[in-house]
Amino acid sequence: MNKNISTFINKHKDMINNNDWEMLYAKANDKLNFSDIGKLTLILLSADINPLDYLDYIPKFYLAYTNISKFDIPNNIKKIGEYAFSGCISLTSITIPNSVTSIGDYAFYNCIDLTSVNMPDSVTNIEKEAFSHCISLTSIKIPDSVTSIGHRAFHDCINLISITIGNNVTSIGSYAFNNCSKLTSITIPNSVKSIGDDAFYKCSHLENIYFNGYVDQWADLESKRQESYGPKYTVHCVDGDYIKEGD
């Protein structure tokens, strides 16, 4: 245990003994280096102390930059906080229960060994860079419960081949799939009302988008956005095809 963490634990023993985890992690985010917060959590878990038994969210940097390989999120959790598992480079699988409604900014950023994510029908928001640089992800299915996909949510997922987006998504953020260079197809529902600039930037192998709406609807979406260095792709709509010329 490094000195900073040891000092922090000794100073805040009352919070630990009283299970005041919300305050403890607020203090930790103020006083500790972000990588030490994850180490603090590991120390608590190794002592059979589980802060998540007393919270309905996973605190910021909760297990960030630790060497965990798997983690089961308990059923009382409603939100996965910012950077909660960021930099967990050995994390290969994560179980998200159907109590979770929101996946926070950078929640799984740079989890380079994460191969799959089973997202439950309870999730409504995937926030900014939630799965950015998860380079081992090969496919993702976004459930019907999700309404928004944040800025750069799947940025740099370089081995992502296919994506299916649920039927209630209304907005796809800018650079959402930036540099998903192996992405060949994506299914987008007609519930989508906005697609951010450069959502498919550097998706060099994207050939087909399957849009469950009409050509005019897609043309309207394209007219409201810009795509720099975008690929040429065909959008298959219910009444015909829309050809997007590459840049």
Side-chain angles (χ1 to χ4, degrees), residues 9-174:
I9 289 173
N10 288 329
K11 186 175 181 179
H12 298 95
K13 278 185 178 179
D14 285 349
M15 290 182 188
I16 295 171
N17 292 333
N18 293 325
N19 292 312
D20 191 358
W21 302 111
E22 183 170 357
M23 183 60 72
L24 184 87
Y25 277 96
K27 290 284 186 183
N29 272 280
D30 184 47
K31 300 297 183 182
L32 291 178
N33 181 288
F34 59 83
S35 62
D36 283 343
I37 297 172
K39 293 173 186 174
L40 168 65
T41 301
L42 287 182
I43 290 167
L44 294 169
L45 293 175
S46 68
D48 290 327
I49 300 171
N50 188 351
L52 298 187
D53 287 342
Y54 303 88
L55 296 169
D56 64 359
Y57 67 96
I58 300 179
K60 186 176 181 180
F61 293 115
Y62 183 70
L63 279 166
Y65 300 94
T66 61
N67 60 358
I68 60 166
S69 59
K70 63 179 181 178
F71 190 80
D72 292 340
I73 297 172
N75 291 327
N76 54 301
I77 298 300
K78 296 179 181 178
K79 179 176 181 177
I80 302 172
E82 298 174 23
Y83 299 92
F85 300 95
S86 180
C88 292
I89 60 174
S90 298
L91 184 67
T92 59
S93 66
I94 188 83
T95 300
I96 302 175
N98 59 13
S99 57
V100 172
T101 60
S102 179
I103 300 174
D105 296 353
Y106 302 93
F108 296 96
Y109 172 77
N110 203 37
C111 291
I112 59 175
D113 275 355
L114 188 63
T115 56
S116 64
V117 177
N118 291 320
M119 212 173 294
D121 285 336
S122 56
V123 174
T124 58
N125 298 304
I126 302 171
E127 303 292 352
K128 178 175 68 178
E129 301 216 37
F131 295 95
S132 180
H133 203 63
C134 290
I135 61 175
S136 295
L137 276 179
T138 57
S139 65
I140 192 80
K141 184 177 181 180
I142 297 170
D144 290 345
S145 55
V146 172
T147 59
S148 65
I149 300 170
H151 169 71
R152 292 165 66 108
F154 295 94
H155 156 72
D156 235 8
C157 292
I158 58 174
N159 285 302
L160 196 60
I161 297 171
S162 65
I163 304 164
T164 300
I165 297 176
N167 290 325
N168 290 303
V169 169
T170 59
S171 65
I172 298 172
S174 58

Side-chain angles (χ1 to χ4, degrees), residues 207-211 213-225 231-245:
E207 297 177 351
N208 295 291
I209 294 177
Y210 298 93
F211 178 59
Y214 297 98
V215 170
D216 286 349
Q217 287 177 277
W218 187 267
D220 184 57
L221 288 171
E222 286 285 358
S223 71
K224 298 173 181 175
R225 59 187 291 269
K232 177 180 178 178
Y233 52 75
T234 301
V235 183
H236 305 281
C237 306
V238 296
D239 60 339
D241 291 345
Y242 177 101
I243 307 298
K244 170 69 169 64
E245 295 297 334

